[in-house]
Amino acid sequence: VFVDLEPTVVDEIRTGSYRSLFHPDRLLTGKEDAANNYSRGYFTVGKEMLEPVCDAIRKSANECNSLNGFFIIHSFGGGTGSGFASLLMDRLSHEYAKKSTLELPIYPSPHMSTAMVEPYNAMFCTNTGLEFSDCAFLVDNEAIYD
């Protein structure tokens, strides 16, 4: 399941050269973004998207012969990656309590930061990862570009 609260990135995948890699029903977008704000991703805009995303995850899980867990790739810096991912991980830990959750968070780089609130988003999101993730493979955003 591929999720973003802001539709333009996912729309590029829907129409681009990678469209054959994803099932169209598993590409989910909201109507407005979280504006690089953890609170918008967790408390307001993200709450509106939570049920459609959970429904898509349930459909995918039901198609599995033996679901072992979830692998969540998200950023710590943006509102969707920090706020909505935290909300989703909380929900998954309750609905699928016996399933493992592996996390690949992308940590914001101070040299490549696009928003002043990225350190705050990362701080709030780190707490969720500690609580709801079984294992995390932390990636530095700057290391991806080097």
Side-chain angles (χ1 to χ4, degrees):
V1 178
F2 199 105
V3 181
D4 197 347
L5 297 178
E6 201 270 322
T8 57
V9 174
V10 177
D11 287 345
E12 285 183 29
I13 293 171
R14 280 190 181 111
T15 59
S17 57
Y18 296 116
R19 68 180 171 269
S20 62
L21 296 176
F22 301 96
H23 191 282
D25 293 341
R26 303 301 190 257
L27 297 171
L28 304 172
T29 59
K31 293 180 178 71
E32 62 178 306
D33 68 350
N36 287 326
N37 190 316
Y38 177 91
S39 295
R40 283 180 54 88
Y42 192 91
F43 295 108
T44 59
V45 181
K47 282 219 192 253
E48 297 169 9
M49 259 320 269
L50 186 61
E51 286 310 315
V53 170
C54 287
D55 288 343
I57 290 172
R58 268 187 228 103
K59 288 177 187 173
S60 294
N62 288 338
E63 292 172 4
C64 293
N65 292 332
S66 178
L67 178 69
N68 288 315
F70 300 97
F71 192 68
I72 299 173
I73 303 169
H74 65 102
S75 69
F76 270 9
T80 302
S82 63
F84 182 73
S86 296
L87 183 64
L88 181 62
M89 288 173 67
D90 186 359
R91 174 63 79 83
L92 290 175
S93 73
H94 289 86
E95 286 191 22
Y96 300 92
K98 295 185 179 188
K99 302 298 179 190
S100 297
T101 301
L102 302 178
E103 180 184 21
L104 185 73
I106 301 168
Y107 204 79
S109 167
H111 301 293
M112 302 181 73
S113 178
T114 58
M116 293 299 293
V117 295
E118 284 185 1
Y120 300 104
N121 292 342
M123 181 188 68
F124 292 131
C125 190
T126 299
N127 185 52
T128 301
L130 291 171
E131 189 172 349
F132 299 119
S133 179
D134 296 309
C135 182
F137 305 97
L138 191 64
V139 177
D140 179 19
N141 194 22
E142 192 171 354
I144 295 173
Y145 289 101
D146 287 344

